[in-house]
Amino acid sequence: MNSVKVEIYGSEYRIRGDADPDYIQEIAHYVDSKMDEVDRETSLGSPLKVAILAALNIAGELFRERDDRNKLLAIVQERTEELSQTLDGELDD
């Protein structure tokens, strides 16, 4: 288990996990940048409110990515079925 010290929104945290330390740092940097972005664009003042809004923004990104992936998978499945039917038809002739 790795233990990595990260800084998010001016506070240090020790994160323990099985992931690569560089990966943990990358994620922490992303969260920190999202919190800084929310802080610059709003005047919430409260670190908790900034964190909640940043979490909602990140969750929104995740949901959009999932939706895009599902749409692409549906297209791939449809095209695969079409190609399979075309091949079956050619092989039957």
Side-chain angles (χ1 to χ4, degrees):
M1 175 122 8
N2 296 314
S3 179
V4 181
K5 185 169 48 171
V6 300
E7 185 174 325
I8 300 173
Y9 202 59
S11 295
E12 284 189 0
Y13 300 92
R14 176 125 339 243
I15 308 295
R16 293 168 40 141
D18 293 330
D20 180 83
D22 290 337
Y23 182 67
I24 294 171
Q25 284 286 354
E26 183 179 358
I27 292 171
H29 177 73
Y30 186 76
V31 170
D32 182 55
S33 69
K34 285 296 183 181
M35 289 185 68
D36 286 341
E37 181 182 311
V38 167
D39 189 40
R40 281 191 314 273
E41 294 176 0
T42 65
S43 57
L44 295 174
S46 163
L48 177 60
K49 289 180 181 181
V50 169
I52 290 169
L53 192 52
L56 287 170
N57 288 339
I58 293 169
E61 291 174 2
L62 172 65
F63 278 53
R64 282 187 298 278
E65 289 293 327
R66 284 181 178 171
D67 188 46
D68 290 347
R69 184 195 68 210
N70 289 336
K71 287 176 184 174
L72 286 173
L73 285 174
I75 291 169
V76 168
Q77 281 183 317
E78 182 180 321
R79 289 186 180 169
T80 301
E81 289 172 13
E82 289 171 359
L83 285 172
S84 178
Q85 289 173 1
T86 301
L87 285 173
D88 286 345
E90 290 295 319
L91 291 174
D92 288 342
D93 290 342

